[in-house]
Amino acid sequence: MDPILATFLILGAAVIAFLSGRLPLAVIAVGVSLALWASGVLPLQDALAGFGDPTVLFIAALFIVSEGLDSSGVTALLGRAIAARSRGNSRRALLLIMLIVAALTALISVNGAVAALLPMTVIIAVRSGFPPARLLLPLAFAAHAGSLLALTGSPVNVIVSEIAREETGHGFGFLEFGLVGVPLVVGTVLIVMLCGRGLVPERAASALPRDLSGHADTLFRHYSSPVSSLLPDPALETVGGEEGVAEVIVAPRSSLIGERAFPGMVSASGALIVLAIQRNGKDTGSRETILAGGDALLVRGPWAALEALTASDRVLAVDEPALWRRQILPLGPAGYTAIAVLLGMIILLVSGAVPAAVAGLLGAGAMILTRVVSMGQAYRSISWTTVILVAGMIPLSTAFLETGAAEVIGHGLILAVGAAGPHMILLAMCLVVAILGQLISNTATVLIMAPIAIAIAGEMNLSLLPFLMALAVTGAAAFLTPVATPVNMMVMGPGGYRFSDYWRLGLPLLALFLAVAVLLVPLIWPF
């Protein structure tokens, strides 16, 4: 089969699979790589080269750095700062949330920033007496804008920077994205603040994260036992942030069934202590109990040990320790260490002293070596779907370039609108990215369109940089559907949004992003 035809067929099959939603994204991406090899488009080494690409390693490392900031209390501190300064005023809360999530996204990615601030945003709304829906869609969309403030804001930024480095000899600098990111954040904030009340529907939430800030006090009052003195202070600050408590239920068919337990006993590892046991809602007192399915245990110990316990199949957690920890954890030594590691990584990225992948891996390694993040946390923090998606789709970009498929599409676009000038062909390319980006992963969209941008720039003898930066900008403009990005879906339940709610605020923001991509980007990076 002709390699160009095979590449188009594989692309078409991948897009259909993405749109159907029937297969996991990672499976589709791996399938693309294998199909490129099976069809003879690429040799096996090239078809699987994405899994060893420095871009993929950098993206994976950023997830670990993000986990270090989150688990050490840095992001929780930001959430508490918002709550303290909003003082029940929805407009003040809205402004603070959008600015902080944009700044945080620039450092730890869209998904990490929104996941970290989502529970606190809901709590701020509920405590202040207004619907969370008023804040959550702006939270997600401001994060999209903030992803363009720095290189680390999005996998898309990393991808276009590495492509620019390969094709032109130098990539985009760490803060160079901010030349378009700052106007996008300012524009997004202005549109939401001026028009948001009419564009963001106020729905009843279908699922809200729990407010666990007073959870220690609840447990303190709910359990009475001979070792109640071992319960943490209701404020939990006396524990110093190093330990916590967890309420767990003995799972059906658990290996704990039949085991003997009593208040005050220490686990076999020596890390956890049983504070109290309840059966049918009543304390068993100090006597020894033969555990049965459905028994409730209150245990205390280091956060890592609690999270390991609740992750096992022996017990069911009433409330996840990680969620509680991140709502109340004070900023301690681990937080300052995480900030220092982040600053060190940024210095390496800004200075260009080492490749981006090396800077990211050094940052992730430092988080682990300083024990801010455990190895278990490191593995769990990586969004493997994102990593495999990027790794699997990189060979498709390679195939577009090597087979000439990108040149075919690029030549077609040039024939269609090229006579109107480079701005028009840039607009045409951005519209394709914007449409695809509402339906499939924006990362996959950019990987598909990047070789076409290279072909267009080469055939028209134009600089590649404005085309790549425009790809990054329009790739971030995934506003019109909840399936466009994980964060759009993340706020859907807590906000009570419907599928049709996204385009109301999304359309003016998409217009803003297209205007910046087509008009501002060529002024900064001329054709």
Side-chain angles (χ1 to χ4, degrees):
M1 183 183 295
D2 179 67
I4 294 179
L5 177 60
T7 301
F8 282 132
L9 289 176
I10 292 170
L11 170 63
V15 171
I16 292 171
F18 281 130
L19 292 176
S20 71
R22 294 180 179 274
L23 293 173
L25 298 182
V27 172
I28 298 171
V30 172
V32 166
S33 293
L34 294 177
L36 290 170
W37 166 75
S39 62
V41 174
L42 294 177
L44 184 62
Q45 183 175 353
D46 291 344
L48 300 178
F51 292 91
D53 193 282
T55 301
V56 175
L57 295 176
F58 184 38
I59 291 169
L62 289 179
F63 283 114
I64 298 175
V65 174
S66 170
E67 173 66 15
L69 293 170
D70 196 14
S71 64
S72 62
V74 175
T75 51
L77 178 68
L78 292 174
R80 290 195 293 271
I82 296 172
R85 286 167 174 76
S86 60
R87 295 189 293 275
N89 185 305
S90 64
R91 288 185 63 80
R92 187 184 295 120
L94 180 61
L95 177 60
L96 289 171
I97 285 168
M98 293 180 71
L99 292 177
I100 289 180
V101 78
L104 190 59
T105 296
L107 301 176
I108 67 170
S109 81
V110 177
N111 294 347
V114 173
L117 294 180
L118 175 61
M120 190 60 65
T121 300
V122 171
I123 291 168
I124 291 169
V126 171
R127 289 179 180 175
S128 302
F130 51 84
R134 193 180 297 178
L135 303 178
L136 293 182
L137 208 56
L139 171 76
F141 289 177
H144 286 306
S147 70
L148 286 157
L149 289 174
L151 173 69
T152 50
S154 165
V156 169
N157 297 358
V158 179
I159 290 168
V160 299
S161 181
E162 287 303 311
I163 292 174
R165 188 182 309 279
E166 292 172 4
E167 297 295 326
T168 68
H170 60 88
F172 295 107
F174 181 79
L175 295 175
E176 195 171 352
F177 289 90
L179 296 174
V180 291
V182 170
L184 287 171
V185 170
V186 171
T188 299
V189 169
L190 287 176
I191 289 173
V192 172
M193 296 302 294
L194 295 176
C195 310
R197 291 298 290 269
L199 298 175
V200 179
E202 296 191 356
R203 307 286 190 193
S206 58
L208 291 176
R210 285 194 59 194
D211 180 359
L212 297 175
S213 56
H215 192 48
D217 183 61
T218 300
L219 295 177
F220 191 83
R221 288 183 285 100
H222 184 70
Y223 283 88
S224 57
S225 78
V227 290
S228 59
S229 60
L230 295 175
L231 280 167
D233 181 88
L236 203 67
E237 258 60 29
T238 56
V239 182
E242 299 299 325
E243 293 187 351
V245 294
E247 187 179 18
V248 298
I249 305 297
V250 177
R253 297 173 298 281
S254 168
S255 61
L256 292 177
I257 294 176
E259 294 286 333
R260 299 176 183 274
F262 56 88
M265 73 173 290
V266 178
S267 66
S269 66
L272 300 172
I273 181 171
V274 176
L275 301 180
I277 303 171
Q278 284 190 352
R279 176 168 292 171
N280 299 323
K282 297 181 179 179
D283 277 20
T284 61
S286 59
R287 68 178 184 273
E288 186 176 79
T289 301
I290 306 298
L291 294 178
D295 286 351
L297 285 80
L298 191 66
V299 295
R300 174 178 173 177
W303 290 107
L306 292 175
E307 290 175 21
L309 171 67
T310 54
S312 72
D313 57 4
R314 296 179 298 167
V315 299
L316 304 173
V318 177
D319 291 293
E320 291 294 336
L323 179 59
W324 179 25
R325 176 192 190 191
R326 295 177 190 203
Q327 287 188 24
I328 54 85
L329 185 66
L331 189 64
Y336 295 113
T337 301
I339 293 172
V341 170
L342 175 67
L343 292 177
M345 186 184 75
I346 290 173
I347 290 171
L348 290 176
L349 290 169
V350 172
S351 67
V354 296
V358 174
L361 290 171
L362 288 174
M367 289 289 187
I368 295 170
L369 291 176
T370 57
R371 299 187 178 180
V372 174
V373 175
S374 68
M375 283 304 302
Q377 281 180 284
Y379 287 126
R380 292 192 298 270
S381 68
I382 297 174
S383 172
W384 293 105
T385 295
T386 301
V387 169
I388 297 174
L389 175 65
V390 175
M393 295 300 290
I394 283 176
L396 184 59
S397 290
T398 303
F400 263 80
L401 283 173
E402 293 191 358
T403 63
E407 293 180 6
V408 172
I409 298 177
H411 186 67
L413 284 175
I414 292 171
L415 288 177
V417 297
H423 283 85
M424 186 57 66
I425 197 164
L426 184 64
L427 175 61
M429 186 190 74
C430 289
L431 286 173
V432 174
V433 174
I435 293 170
L436 276 179
Q438 312 307 319
L439 304 172
I440 67 175
S441 160
N442 58 349
T443 304
T445 300
V446 170
L447 283 168
I448 291 168
M449 293 300 297
I452 297 171
I454 295 171
I456 292 172
E459 186 166 342
M460 296 188 70
N461 198 27
L462 299 172
S463 170
L464 177 61
L465 296 182
F467 288 92
L468 290 178
M469 184 56 73
L471 278 181
V473 171
T474 48
F479 300 123
L480 304 187
T481 67
V483 298
T485 65
V487 298
N488 287 9
M489 187 63 71
M490 205 180 292
V491 301
M492 191 174 190
Y497 300 119
R498 301 170 186 168
F499 195 96
S500 59
D501 289 337
Y502 287 75
W503 66 266
R504 298 182 187 180
L505 179 60
L507 276 179
L509 291 179
L510 177 59
L512 167 67
F513 277 59
L514 285 173
V516 168
V518 176
L519 301 177
L520 179 60
V521 165
L523 292 178
I524 301 172
W525 297 274
F527 290 113

